[in-house]
């Protein structure tokens, strides 16, 4: 089998498994998704280490982003290594750095795979994203049907609890995928029942976005659509047709499903329209984000240059969350202000190159219903999704959730292949960089394993011990749901840690390695 077809199948399979299937013996949704992402990152590193030809292609593909973008990204990673080395919790800090580096390698790998077979990649990946979205819609409709027909009563915003534990984690998935599902509905190669299925999935996704009462998806997608529409008004306007049409139909259908029919059957405790309107109309309800943001600012003040160390805020023993729900604050507080500035520079420079690419494509004549029109719609959808992700990450933990991390790397690599200048033929520089890339890939894979395996081997014991020692503590996911990282930090920390939760002491059964 062709290596790139195998890689495409592996990526698609990982996406579907992460959203639709739990891992036997790993009961929590977040832990299962972390395992799938870890497996994909290890496969990415193994492919880079095992094939000289693939490494050369990776170097050429990475060069498409430009020297300045690459230099800024490498500088950020180098500063992260320096920050991790003196953090006092080196294993966890290096786990974070290796994850970021491997996600970047995954993005470049996606570019290489798509470059080889662009038409097949676009079709298969759009189909996989639509199928993954369907795996979120179907349980929602089943739960609604069961609630209404049994007259057991339900709260509209909480009826869906499959695949992700919280509608706001589902919202991250929707922010990244809704524009692409809309692009799939316009694809000229989609015919018959497949096109009808794509429209049905898009309609179902709007139902979820409206009636699970998530706000960040709306706050992210609407300005992203406006911004991209100003850059490419023609293709942006065309993409709005399926999106706005199904949105209006979904709103009307949801009103019937969550207000009219349940009221007649006396099955509803809370109207879906009221729940959505209350949430979306109140952007100043921070839900304790102000506590997290102030904590991040305190850490920045204490350690402005190198930060607390990558993943350092997971050691705060906060009852709210293990990250600040803000990408800039997270990077500045954990990696340090210089590293955050380098990340921002890489993001801005990369975005500028993507914008130039989509402008070039929009200036070319387009035949009605042809492949070039499909390409423009897909490019616009990718840019909307990436812009929306950047906005969403300002107020939510999109950068720390496994499915969001993997999807973001996929979209960045996909957009790079679609919008950046074609790769130049392999050069002697690519051949010289190949051995170094093999060593780095193996080192990253080893660091990832060293960070994940100790936790994986004691997840159940940690969970049980935490429930006994800290029954009132509400931990939030960072790597593992029940990973209590505060007990692993040494004395050489660059910030003042918060005390452990009431009733929990470092060195008790929570911090030990329970059997």
């Amino acid at each position: 089998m062709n290596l790139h077809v195998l890689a495409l199948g592996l990526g698609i399979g990982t996406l579907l498994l992460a959203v639709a299937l739990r891992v036997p013996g790993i009961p929590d949704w977040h832990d299962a998704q972390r395992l799938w992402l870890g497996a994909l990152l290890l496969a990415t590193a193994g492919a880079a280490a095992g094939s000289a030809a693939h490494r050369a292609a990776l170097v050429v593909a990475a060069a498409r982003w430009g020297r300045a973008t690459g230099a800024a990204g490498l500088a950020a990673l180098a500063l992260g290594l320096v920050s991790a080395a003196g953090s006092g919790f080196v294993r966890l800090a290096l786990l974070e750095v290796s994850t970021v580096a491997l996600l970047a390698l995954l993005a470049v790998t996606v570019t290489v795979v798509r470059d080889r077979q662009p038409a097949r990649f676009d079709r298969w990946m759009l189909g996989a994203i639509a199928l993954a979205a369907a795996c979120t819609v179907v349980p929602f409709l089943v739960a609604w049907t069961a609630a209404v027909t049994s007259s057991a009563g339900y709260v509209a915003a909480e009826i869906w609890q499959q695949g992700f534990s919280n509608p706001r984690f589902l919202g991250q998935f929707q922010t990244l995928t809704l524009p692409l599902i809309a692009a799939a509905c316009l694809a000229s190669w989609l015919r018959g029942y497949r096109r009808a299925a794509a429209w049905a999935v898009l309609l179902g996704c709007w139902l979820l976005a409206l009636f699970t009462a998530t706000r960040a998806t709306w706050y992210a997608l609407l300005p992203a659509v406006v911004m991209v529409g100003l850059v490419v008004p023609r293709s942006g306007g065309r993409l709005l047709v399926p999106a706005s049409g199904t949105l209006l139909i979904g709103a009307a259908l949801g009103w019937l499903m969550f207000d009219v029919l349940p009221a007649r059957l006396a099955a509803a405790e809370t109207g879906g329209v009221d729940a959505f309107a209350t949430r979306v109309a109140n952007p100043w309800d921070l839900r304790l984000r102000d506590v997290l943001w102030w904590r991040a600012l305190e850490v920045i003040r204490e350690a402005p240059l190198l930060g607390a160390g990558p993943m350092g805020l997971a050691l705060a023993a906060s009852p709210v969350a293990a990250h600040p729900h803000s990408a800039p604050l997270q990077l500045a507080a954990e990696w340090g202000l210089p590293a955050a500035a380098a990340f921002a520079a890489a993001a801005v420079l990369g975005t500028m190159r993507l914008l130039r690419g989509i402008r070039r494509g929009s200036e070319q004549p387009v035949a009605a219903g042809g492949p070039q029109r499909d390409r423009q719609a897909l490019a616009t959808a990718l840019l909307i999704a990436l812009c929306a992700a950047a906005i969403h990450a300002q107020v939510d933990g999109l950068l720390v959730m496994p499915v969001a991390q993997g999807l973001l790397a996929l979209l960045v690599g996909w957009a790079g292949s679609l919008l950046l200048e074609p790769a130049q033929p392999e050069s002697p520089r690519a051949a010289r960089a190949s051995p170094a890339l093999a060593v780095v890939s193996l080192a990253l894979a080893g660091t990832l394993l060293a960070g994940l395996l100790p936790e994986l081997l004691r997840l159940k014991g940690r969970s049980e011990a935490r429930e006994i020692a800290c029954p009132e503590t509400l931990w939030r996911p960072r790597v593992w749901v029940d990973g209590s990282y505060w007990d692993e930090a040494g004395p050489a920390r660059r910030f003042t840690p918060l005390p452990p939760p009431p009733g929990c002491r470092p060195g008790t059964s929570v911090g030990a390695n329970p059997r």
Side-chain angles (χ1 to χ4, degrees), residues 65-308:
W65 291 93
R67 293 183 179 180
T69 307
L74 290 174
L77 290 173
L79 289 168
L81 284 174
V82 175
S83 176
S87 62
F89 41 93
V90 179
R91 180 179 71 88
L92 295 174
L94 289 180
L95 171 60
E96 185 93 334
V97 175
S98 65
T99 299
V100 173
L102 285 172
L103 286 168
L105 183 62
L106 174 61
V108 181
T109 301
V110 169
T111 299
V112 171
V113 173
R114 187 191 178 275
D115 283 347
R116 299 296 172 90
Q117 296 178 320
R120 174 181 283 181
F121 182 96
D122 292 345
R123 294 185 184 189
W124 285 21
M125 196 55 70
L126 283 175
I129 287 174
L131 185 57
C135 291
T136 68
V137 171
V138 171
F140 174 72
L141 296 178
V142 170
W144 175 85
T145 303
V148 171
T149 55
S150 67
S151 298
Y154 64 89
V155 177
E158 297 178 0
I159 190 174
W160 186 88
Q161 292 290 334
Q162 298 293 322
F164 303 87
S165 74
N166 189 303
R168 281 163 287 287
F169 300 137
L170 169 68
Q172 297 175 6
F173 176 80
Q174 291 176 320
T175 297
L176 292 164
T177 57
L178 269 169
L180 294 166
I181 299 171
C185 291
L186 296 177
S188 61
W189 44 265
L190 210 58
R191 293 285 187 271
Y193 73 90
R194 292 184 178 88
R195 184 180 293 277
W199 283 90
V201 170
L202 182 59
L203 175 61
C205 288
W206 282 129
L207 274 174
L208 277 172
L210 284 165
F211 296 102
T212 54
T214 180
R215 297 176 296 172
T217 296
W218 295 95
Y219 297 153
L221 280 176
L222 291 178
V225 168
V226 172
M227 289 188 294
V228 175
L230 293 175
V231 176
V232 280
R234 184 186 305 171
S235 55
R238 180 170 173 259
L239 199 63
L240 285 177
V241 173
S244 58
T246 50
L247 171 59
L248 293 175
I249 296 172
L253 181 61
W255 175 66
L256 293 173
M257 290 173 59
F258 288 95
D259 283 77
V260 175
L261 183 59
R264 290 183 176 275
L265 298 176
E269 298 175 18
T270 303
V273 175
D274 291 340
F276 171 77
T278 301
R279 290 276 295 166
V280 174
N282 188 12
W284 308 115
D285 179 15
L286 298 178
R287 295 295 177 101
L288 297 177
R289 283 176 174 82
D290 52 335
V291 175
L292 299 171
W293 294 345
W294 277 114
R295 176 58 180 155
L297 290 172
E298 290 173 356
V299 174
I300 293 172
R301 184 181 59 194
E302 290 189 50
L305 294 180
L306 293 177

